[in-house]
RNA sequence: GGAGAGAUGGCAGAGCGGUCGAUUGCGGCAGUCUUGAAAACUGUUGAGGUGAAAGCCUCCGGGGGUUCGAAUCCCUCUCUCUCCGCCA
C-alpha cells in the first residue's frame, strides 16, 4: 500500500495520479490525511497520559519499598483517574488507526510517469514486436484439435476428474510440460536467479502481503478449515519469503525463481476466452521475482523485460510487448509490461507474461526493508514477472509450428524434450 | 488426533511482578596495536510512532485479562520440540 507519509506530503499529486488511473474515490486521499492528523493528535494525548502513569507507578514502587503506604495509596488514586481519562482516548485512537489502515489498503498503486493514459486494453502501447511470423499450411488447426490429434491433452478427462479448466496432460503432452518447466528454470538460474520450491497454499497474511487480499478475494481458491489460500501465482509465497526482514545492502539484488502450479477461480470468464488452453483454473508457471534498492528498480524492470524477451525468441514464437495503460494495470503495479504471443490458428494474441514494478507498494505491506549505505532502514522495491506461463506457450507452439507431418519443436527444447518434433 | 515441555534482540542463552529495551557469549561495525592481516584489548550494535531536537510512547510468538506497575502471573490462539497414535 501507499505510504501515509507520502500521501500527507503530496496529497494533490496522489489524487492526480489516482485519477489518471481512473480511480474514482480520490476523496479517500483527504480522508487519509484527516485520519492521520487525528491519529497523531490522539496518540500524543494518550502518550502524555501514559508517561504520567509510568512516572506514578515508578514512584509507587519506591514508596512501597520505603513502607510509605499512605502516600502510595494516594498515588494509586491519581493513576486511577489518569487511566479513566486515557481510556476513551485509547479507544478513539484504535478506531482511527483501524479506519486509516482500512482506507489506505483501498488505494491502488500510483502509475509511473511513463504509463500511457487509457481505460481499456485497446489503449495499451505496443513497445515492440518480434519473433518469426508463421505461414500456416492448409488444413491447419487450433491447438485444442492438435492436442486431441496427437493425444497430448484430454480436456474431457479433466472434466470428469475435477471440472472444466483442469486439463489432463498425457504422454508426450506431459513430457513437453516437464521439458518446458525444466528449460525455463535453467534459463532463469543461469541468469542469477535462485530456484525455490515454495508451498502451494499460503496463509492470510501472505495473501495480504502481495496484495491479493483484499483485492482479489473471490479469485482465489480458499480452504476454509485451515484458512489457507491456494496460490494464484508463485509471486505470493516467493515474495513473502522476505516478509518482515531487514536485508543488508550487499545481499541485493535478490533474485528468485520458482515453478509452481497456479490456481485461479476465474469467476466471470466465459465463451471462447476459456476454450482449450486459453484460460484454466490450474496451470503451470515459472515466475521470477526481484527485490532491489529503490534507485535501481526501473533499470531492473528493463532487464527483466529483456530476459523474458530472449526466452520467447528462443522458442521461435511471434510476440509483442505492451506497456499497459493506466486503466489496464493491476491494483498493485506502478508499471507493467505484458508479453503476448500470437496464436496463429486462433488468430489472436495471448498473454504469456506480465512483468511489473511494484515499487514499495508490496514491500510496505510486507515490511521488506534494507539498511542503506548511511545505515538508514528503508523499503525495498519488488518486481516480478512470468518466465513463463506454460499453457498459452504450449498452445502457440502447437499452432505455430504445426506441419503436415507433425509438430516441430524449437531448437532450445530439443535436448530437454529428447526429440525435435512430436 | 492424545500427553507433556517450550516460544526473549542476527544467533546462542539469562532474566525474584517495580530502577528491563532487557545480563552474558558469539556474530556485525568502529577504534587501538600491526607494513598489512590474524589475535588481543576498547567502544558500539533491534524495530516502530511522535517531535526541529532533547525527550516521550510502544514492542520479549499473536490476542485478551489480573495489577498502581507484566518479559515475569492467568486465559486463549498459533507455532516448535519430546513421547504415543495414524500415515505418504
Amino acid at each position: 500500500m501507499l505510504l501515509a507519509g507520502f500521501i500527507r506530503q503530496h496529497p494533490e499529486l496522489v489524487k492526480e495520479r489516482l485519477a489518471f488511473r481512473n480511480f474514482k474515490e480520490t476523496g479517500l486521499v483527504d480522508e487519509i490525511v484527516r485520519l492521520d492528523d487525528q491519529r497523531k493528535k490522539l496518540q500524543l494525548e494518550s502518550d502524555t497520559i501514559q508517561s504520567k502513569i509510568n512516572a506514578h507507578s515508578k514512584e509507587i514502587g519506591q514508596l512501597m519499598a520505603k513502607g510509605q503506604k499512605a502516600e502510595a495509596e494516594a498515588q494509586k488514586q491519581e493513576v486511577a483517574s489518569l487511566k479513566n481519562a486515557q481510556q476513551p482516548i485509547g479507544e478513539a485512537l484504535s478506531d482511527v488507526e483501524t479506519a486509516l489502515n482500512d482506507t489506505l489498503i483501498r488505494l491502488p498503486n500510483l502509475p509511473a510517469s511513463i504509463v500511457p493514459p487509457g481505460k481499456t486494453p485497446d489503449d495499451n502501447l505496443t513497445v515492440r514486436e518480434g519473433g518469426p511470423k508463421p505461414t500456416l499450411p492448409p488444413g491447419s488447426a487450433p491447438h485444442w484439435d492438435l492436442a486431441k490429434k496427437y493425444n497430448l491433452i484430454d480436456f474431457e478427462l479433466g472434466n470428469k476428474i475435477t471440472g472444466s479448466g483442469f486439463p489432463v496432460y498425457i504422454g508426450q503432452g506431459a513430457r513437453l510440460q516437464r521439458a518446458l518447466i525444466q528449460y525455463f528454470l535453467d534459463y532463469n538460474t543461469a541468469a542469477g536467479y535462485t530456484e525455490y520450491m515454495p508451498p502451494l497454499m499460503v496463509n492470510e497474511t501472505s495473501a495480504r502481503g502481495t496484495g491479493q487480499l483484499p483485492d482479489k478475494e473471490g479469485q482465489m481458491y480458499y480452504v476454509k478449515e485451515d484458512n489457507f489460500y491456494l496460490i494464484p501465482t508463485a509471486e505470493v509465497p516467493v515474495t513473502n519469503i522476505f516478509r518482515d526482514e531487514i536485508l543488508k545492502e550487499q545481499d541485493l539484488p535478490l533474485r528468485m525463481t520458482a515453478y509452481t502450479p497456479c490456481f485461479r477461480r476465474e469467476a466471470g470468464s466465459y465463451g471462447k476466452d476459456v476454450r482449450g488452453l486459453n484460460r484454466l483454473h490450474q496451470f503451470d508457471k515459472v515466475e521470477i521475482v526481484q527485490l532491489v534498492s529503490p534507485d535501481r528498480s526501473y533499470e531492473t524492470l528493463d532487464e527483466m523485460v529483456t530476459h523474458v524477451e530472449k526466452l520467447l525468441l528462443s522458442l521461435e514464437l511471434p510476440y509483442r510487448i505492451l506497456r499497459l495503460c493506466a486503466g489496464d494495470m493491476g491494483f498493485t503495479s506502478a508499471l507493467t509490461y505484458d508479453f503476448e504471443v500470437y496464436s496463429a490458428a486462433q488468430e489472436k494474441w495471448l498473454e504469456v507474461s506480465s512483468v511489473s514494478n511494484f515499487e514499495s507498494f508490496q514491500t510496505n505491506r510486507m515490511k521488506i526493508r534494507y539498511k542503506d549505505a548511511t545505515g538508514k532502514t528503508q523499503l525495498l522495491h519488488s518486481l516480478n514477472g512470468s518466465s513463463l506461463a506454460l499453457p498459452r506457450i504450449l498452445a502457440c507452439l502447437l499452432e505455430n509450428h504445426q506441419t503436415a507431418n507433425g509438430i516441430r519443436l524449437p531448437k532450445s527444447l530439443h535436448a530437454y524434450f529428447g526429440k525435435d518434433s512430436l
Side-chain angles (χ1 to χ4, degrees):
Chain A
M1 59 187 163
L2 298 176
L3 289 117
F6 183 84
I7 295 173
R8 288 184 71 92
Q9 283 166 19
H10 313 282
E12 294 312 313
L13 172 69
V14 171
K15 277 191 240 179
E16 186 268 311
R17 295 313 287 162
L18 288 177
F20 182 72
R21 213 188 204 288
N22 303 305
F23 183 75
K24 302 284 188 286
E25 304 170 271
T26 50
L28 291 179
V29 172
D30 295 322
E31 177 74 1
I32 285 164
V33 174
R34 192 182 65 77
L35 286 168
D36 201 42
D37 282 340
Q38 270 186 28
R39 191 198 106 245
K40 286 191 185 191
K41 182 169 154 286
L42 289 166
Q43 176 142 62
L44 182 64
E45 287 175 24
S46 177
D47 282 0
T48 307
I49 297 173
Q50 186 63 50
S51 177
K52 287 179 188 164
I53 292 173
N54 289 347
H56 280 299
S57 296
K58 207 169 268 187
E59 244 180 279
I60 290 167
Q62 285 161 359
L63 290 170
M64 296 291 260
K66 282 188 260 175
Q68 298 172 282
K69 284 206 166 166
E71 288 85 341
E73 281 306 318
Q75 296 267 7
K76 282 191 191 182
Q77 291 298 317
E78 183 68 19
V79 171
S81 75
L82 283 169
K83 287 186 89 164
N84 276 333
Q86 189 192 34
Q87 201 209 352
I89 298 170
E91 282 169 9
L93 178 60
S94 153
D95 288 349
V96 166
E97 279 176 340
T98 305
L100 178 61
N101 200 53
D102 290 351
T103 313
L104 269 173
I105 213 159
R106 286 166 62 191
L107 294 185
N109 205 352
L110 304 182
S113 58
I114 61 166
V115 169
K119 295 188 175 176
T120 69
D122 296 333
D123 300 318
N124 293 337
L125 182 78
T126 302
V127 177
R128 58 180 176 271
E129 298 191 20
K133 302 267 188 333
T135 323
L136 292 189
S140 59
H143 70 268
W144 47 85
D145 289 340
L146 296 166
K148 190 168 227 169
K149 179 177 171 189
Y150 295 100
N151 194 29
L152 304 173
I153 306 170
D154 193 328
F155 291 99
E156 287 72 25
L157 184 55
N159 291 346
K160 171 183 165 184
I161 298 170
T162 306
S164 74
F166 294 91
V168 178
Y169 300 87
I170 301 169
Q172 291 196 109
R175 185 183 175 89
L176 185 52
Q177 288 287 106
R178 188 152 54 83
L180 286 167
I181 292 163
Q182 183 90 336
Y183 172 52
F184 294 167
L185 283 171
D186 284 352
Y187 176 81
N188 294 338
T189 53
Y193 292 86
T194 302
E195 183 178 346
Y196 284 84
M197 257 200 187
L200 305 182
M201 293 189 219
V202 294
N203 58 32
E204 192 180 330
T205 309
S206 294
R208 201 166 285 280
T210 35
Q212 273 67 29
L213 290 178
D215 190 44
K216 290 182 180 165
E217 172 109 52
Q219 292 295 339
M220 285 188 289
Y221 288 98
Y222 177 57
V223 183
K224 194 178 173 195
E225 192 82 28
D226 298 289
N227 196 25
F228 291 155
Y229 293 86
L230 271 72
I231 58 169
T233 158
E235 164 197 347
V236 182
V238 170
T239 315
N240 272 282
I241 290 170
F242 296 97
R243 168 154 50 85
D244 293 321
E245 297 284 339
I246 299 176
L247 299 152
K248 295 185 186 129
E249 194 163 30
Q250 63 260 35
D251 297 334
L252 305 175
L254 284 164
R255 301 186 176 103
M256 291 81 74
T257 185
Y259 152 69
T260 69
C262 302
F263 304 93
R264 299 186 183 181
R265 295 190 59 234
E266 301 292 359
S269 299
Y270 59 91
K272 63 182 187 310
D273 283 348
V274 301
R275 187 94 194 258
L277 293 168
N278 288 354
R279 192 176 292 278
L280 302 170
H281 289 306
Q282 178 183 326
F283 64 96
D284 296 299
K285 180 160 66 66
V286 176
E287 185 79 357
I288 49 176
V289 176
Q290 289 212 39
L291 293 169
V292 305
S293 63
D295 54 314
R296 289 204 42 197
S297 66
Y298 280 95
E299 189 185 321
T300 302
L301 182 65
D302 289 341
E303 283 169 22
M304 289 169 77
V305 166
T306 306
H307 178 80
V308 173
E309 183 173 15
K310 284 184 180 160
L311 181 55
L312 279 173
L313 275 170
S314 78
L315 294 172
E316 300 166 26
L317 293 173
Y319 66 90
R320 67 181 185 187
I321 304 174
L322 307 174
R323 186 185 295 157
L324 295 193
C325 75
D328 200 30
M329 274 202 313
F331 188 83
T332 54
S333 176
L335 180 60
T336 296
Y337 290 97
D338 267 9
F339 284 74
E340 295 181 340
V341 290
Y342 191 67
S343 169
Q346 295 186 80
E347 298 182 338
K348 64 196 269 189
W349 292 95
L350 300 177
E351 183 193 332
V352 290
S353 178
S354 189
V355 184
S356 303
N357 185 357
F358 305 97
E359 299 192 0
S360 60
F361 194 87
Q362 293 182 326
T363 56
N364 186 32
R365 284 192 188 187
M366 283 185 277
K367 297 287 172 276
I368 305 180
R369 295 166 291 178
Y370 80 113
K371 276 202 193 299
D372 68 16
T374 67
K376 207 178 133 210
T377 303
Q378 56 173 309
L379 293 169
L380 285 165
H381 280 191
S382 67
L383 305 97
N384 70 46
S386 331
S387 178
L388 287 159
L390 268 71
R392 294 171 187 167
I393 290 288
L394 179 58
C396 290
L397 283 175
L398 298 179
E399 292 183 12
N400 291 30
H401 296 164
Q402 61 184 302
T403 68
N405 18 329
I407 297 185
R408 178 182 66 78
L409 290 175
K411 281 190 199 69
S412 51
L413 290 176
H414 292 181
Y416 285 96
F417 187 68
K419 284 164 67 176
D420 61 4
S421 63
L422 49 76

